[in-house]
Amino acid sequence: SQQGEEDPQALSIQEGENATMNCSYKTSINNLQWYRQNSGRGLVHLILIRSNEREKHSGRLRVTLDTSKKSSSLLITASRAADTASYFCATGNQAGTALIFGKGTTLSVSS
Amino acid sequence: GAGVSQSPSNKVTEKGKDVELRCDPISGHTALYWYRQSLGQGLEFLIYFQGNSAPDKSGLPSDRFSAERTGGSVSTLTIQRTQQEDSAVYLCASSFASGGRRDEQFFGPGTRLTVL
């Protein structure tokens, strides 16, 4: 079963604009991660935010976490064509043996 | 190597045949994971290995699926009597730690399996 659900499913923007993706989850978490996937192949870890953190920055990425609402958002500022990819949020399963991913948000950045 | 490697990158097989997919994790990573991603879907957990502990096989969809991890390193995912619904990208990941900590997982490029 899926823990995280991303919103929107697809997003198209112009270079230079900001992109915001949201993720909701169901159970309590220790942390939440965001991954990027290019061309339907391997995933790349972007950022991890712990349950006691509310906001975290990494370069052009800003992640927020609201544990009371069981939601997170990923903001990509000043987007580039190279940011075109699918973005997934992920949380740990109850057994601590795997990540549970949502279906992802497909971001298209046109120049 | 620098990252997780998987082979083959693409595999086309006929329904009913067995296939083996290989994963070489990052050296020193004690945890290894297999996931499956069907077209337009998120990733589905299949199996998890951690050191010498018994693997978590709870994600395997049927008894046609099995996996081994030899010597705490290389892993092989075997699918017997493949079906068309097994067509997907099979992703392997590894990490330094697991259990209570949800550490960053490093993913391989995946094997795209097509069952005709």
Side-chain angles (χ1 to χ4, degrees):
Chain A
S1 61
Q2 286 162 336
Q3 163 79 309
E5 293 292 335
E6 290 89 347
D7 167 60
Q9 290 187 335
L11 181 60
S12 294
I13 59 175
Q14 298 287 320
E15 263 192 332
E17 294 180 338
N18 296 340
T20 300
M21 289 159 268
N22 302 296
C23 167
S24 61
Y25 58 92
K26 299 175 183 176
T27 63
S28 62
I29 60 172
N30 291 323
N31 62 55
L32 183 143
Q33 303 182 47
W34 285 89
Y35 285 80
R36 183 186 70 215
Q37 184 179 39
N38 291 88
S39 304
R41 299 308 285 261
L43 280 77
V44 174
H45 179 265
L46 294 176
I47 196 166
L48 179 153
I49 186 166
R50 302 197 183 281
S51 59
N52 61 354
E53 297 176 310
R54 292 296 169 260
E55 186 171 315
K56 197 165 183 178
H57 297 253
S58 177
R60 294 184 296 112
L61 305 180
R62 173 178 167 253
V63 170
T64 63
L65 179 64
D66 187 336
T67 53
S68 67
K69 296 181 180 179
K70 290 187 168 58
S71 67
S72 174
S73 68
L74 171 67
L75 168 68
I76 304 174
T77 60
S79 63
R80 305 166 182 168
D83 294 329
T84 296
S86 293
Y87 293 82
F88 296 87
C89 67
T91 58
N93 66 356
Q94 291 296 311
T97 56
L99 292 175
I100 301 177
F101 292 83
K103 291 188 178 182
T105 292
T106 300
L107 174 65
S108 297
V109 182
S110 54
S111 54
Chain B
V4 178
S5 61
Q6 292 187 245
S7 60
S9 56
N10 288 283
K11 176 70 176 179
V12 179
T13 190
E14 294 179 347
K15 178 182 174 181
K17 295 284 182 69
D18 297 352
V19 295
E20 281 190 356
L21 312 179
R22 177 188 169 102
C23 171
D24 278 281
I26 292 173
S27 178
H29 280 189
T30 58
L32 186 147
Y33 315 77
W34 282 97
Y35 296 88
R36 175 172 72 174
Q37 185 176 31
S38 302
L39 185 63
Q41 299 294 310
L43 278 76
E44 172 190 13
F45 164 69
L46 296 178
I47 189 168
Y48 155 83
F49 295 92
Q50 165 60 6
N52 295 321
S53 302
D56 178 354
K57 304 180 181 179
S58 61
L60 295 178
S62 78
D63 58 8
R64 296 186 296 105
F65 288 72
S66 63
E68 290 184 341
R69 188 178 185 191
T70 55
S73 182
V74 171
S75 177
T76 301
L77 177 69
T78 301
I79 309 174
Q80 296 178 309
R81 305 181 302 282
T82 52
Q83 303 295 311
Q84 289 183 333
E85 59 264 27
D86 298 335
S87 296
V89 176
Y90 289 81
L91 291 157
C92 175
S94 67
S95 69
F96 279 111
S98 61
R101 297 173 59 193
R102 272 61 163 181
D103 289 292
E104 173 187 351
Q105 294 185 15
F106 295 79
F107 282 79
T111 294
R112 184 178 300 278
L113 174 66
T114 303
V115 182
L116 301 176

